[in-house]
């Protein structure tokens, strides 16, 4: 347990440094340097590097050691990489990328779900949409967000497309970010609850076109909210 906590700390610190650019591409790391920086054993340092190498943030090269890789090599769908980017100065670019990803897959996932969702999945969508309404109107944002996450996770699963299902984690990271950065106005937005209910009803009725249109409406609101928030950040910074 202690070793797990230790190498997790190493991974989080180095991963954040690499993704933010504080450790530049091409930098050669050594196990000795990691041991010294974090006061950990060689075993812990090696395990941390193994995890970062699995994310393609670093690679082991003969004669060069452990070398930091460029962004195009990273496992960009790894939830930790996404989180590190969101917590860095690259947050605007990551938010745009996540939103564009969602627009590219979620509307058609909803369309597919209208044809493929099981009764259990339809029930899960009804429950999630209902909880979004109850907790949103009550101002219980933590419970509202949990229901929102459950809703979008269920839509992707109900598409029964394994490629879409594999993208659940980055989508959920994007949904989780919305209360922090995705809205310049009051959150949750009543219209968003209406649109989630429209998606749910269309899937329950087997109406793929309506499900797709309603999901696109949700994501159009997200894109507008993120654009407004990023513009406000630019104005404040300026």
């Amino acid at each position: 347990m202690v070793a797990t906590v230790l190498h997790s700390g190493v991974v989080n610190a180095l991963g954040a440094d690499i993704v933010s650019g504080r450790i530049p591409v091409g930098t050669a790391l050594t196990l000795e340097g990691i041991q010294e920086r974090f006061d950990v054993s060689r075993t812990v340092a090696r395990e941390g590097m193994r995890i970062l190498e699995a994310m393609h943030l670093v690679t082991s090269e003969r004669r060069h050691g452990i070398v930091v890789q460029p962004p195009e090599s990273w496992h960009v769908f790894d939830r930790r990489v996404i989180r590190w980017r969101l917590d860095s100065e690259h947050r605007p670019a990551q938010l745009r990328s996540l939103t564009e990803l969602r627009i590219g897959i979620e509307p058609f996932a909803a369309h597919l779900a209208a044809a493929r969702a099981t009764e259990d999945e339809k029930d899960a969508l009804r429950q999630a949409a209902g909880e979004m309404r109850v907790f949103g109107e009550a101002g219980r944002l933590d419970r509202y967000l949990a229901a929102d996450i459950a809703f979008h996770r269920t839509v992707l699963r109900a598409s029964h497309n394994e490629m879409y299902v594999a993208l659940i984690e980055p989508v959920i990271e994007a949904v989780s970010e919305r209360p922090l950065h995705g809205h310049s106005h009051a959150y949750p937005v009543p219209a968003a609850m209406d649109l989630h209910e429209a998606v749910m009803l269309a899937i329950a009725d087997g109406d793929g076109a309506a499900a797709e249109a309603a999901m696109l409406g949700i994501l159009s609101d997200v894109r507008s909210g993120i654009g407004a928030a990023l513009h406000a950040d630019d104005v404040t910074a300026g």
Side-chain angles (χ1 to χ4, degrees), residues 1-221:
M1 177 64 73
V2 172
T4 300
V5 171
L6 288 173
H7 72 62
S8 179
V10 170
V11 168
N12 282 325
L14 288 176
D17 283 350
I18 291 169
V19 166
S20 69
R22 291 189 294 270
I23 300 179
V25 172
T27 299
L29 305 173
T30 65
L31 293 179
E32 293 76 11
I34 294 166
Q35 287 178 259
E36 182 177 350
R37 174 179 171 182
F38 296 100
D39 191 24
V40 295
S41 69
R42 190 175 187 86
T43 298
V44 169
R46 184 182 294 111
E47 178 63 14
M49 288 302 94
R50 186 191 66 78
I51 295 171
L52 291 176
E53 190 164 11
M55 298 180 198
H56 299 172
L57 268 65
V58 301
T59 188
S60 297
E61 299 180 3
R62 189 183 298 274
R63 296 193 301 274
H64 295 290
I66 304 161
V67 180
V68 175
Q69 297 300 291
E72 55 266 27
S73 298
W74 300 347
H75 184 2
V76 293
F77 290 138
D78 189 293
R79 196 165 181 177
R80 289 165 294 186
V81 175
I82 293 171
R83 175 46 50 192
W84 293 330
R85 291 194 75 201
L86 287 170
D87 289 340
S88 76
E89 64 182 16
H90 302 297
R91 180 173 71 83
Q94 180 67 89
L95 282 172
R96 290 190 185 99
S97 295
L98 286 170
T99 303
E100 290 165 2
L101 174 70
R102 295 186 66 193
I103 290 171
I105 66 169
E106 284 195 84
F108 196 65
H111 189 120
L112 292 176
R116 300 174 178 174
T118 66
E119 289 305 315
D120 284 346
E121 287 164 341
K122 292 176 182 179
D123 287 343
L125 287 174
R126 292 186 188 97
Q127 179 176 343
E131 290 180 353
M132 288 180 69
R133 175 68 66 181
V134 169
F135 295 126
E137 292 179 347
R140 298 185 61 182
L141 301 188
D142 55 340
R143 298 294 299 275
Y144 175 88
L145 178 59
D148 196 7
I149 289 171
F151 186 94
H152 289 276
R153 186 188 297 275
T154 302
V155 170
L156 288 170
R157 288 195 183 281
S159 74
H160 292 273
N161 179 310
E162 72 281 3
M163 298 292 188
Y164 286 173
V165 173
L167 295 174
I168 284 177
E169 292 309 314
V171 167
I172 295 311
E173 196 65 46
V175 174
S176 300
E177 190 74 3
R178 287 180 63 203
L180 300 177
H181 306 298
H183 291 270
S184 58
H185 40 66
Y187 179 86
V189 183
M193 292 185 275
D194 294 341
L195 285 168
H196 281 78
E197 289 172 355
V199 171
M200 176 270 292
L201 290 171
I203 290 174
D205 290 342
D207 188 338
E212 183 173 351
M215 182 63 81
L216 186 58
I218 292 171
L219 294 171
S220 295
D221 173 68

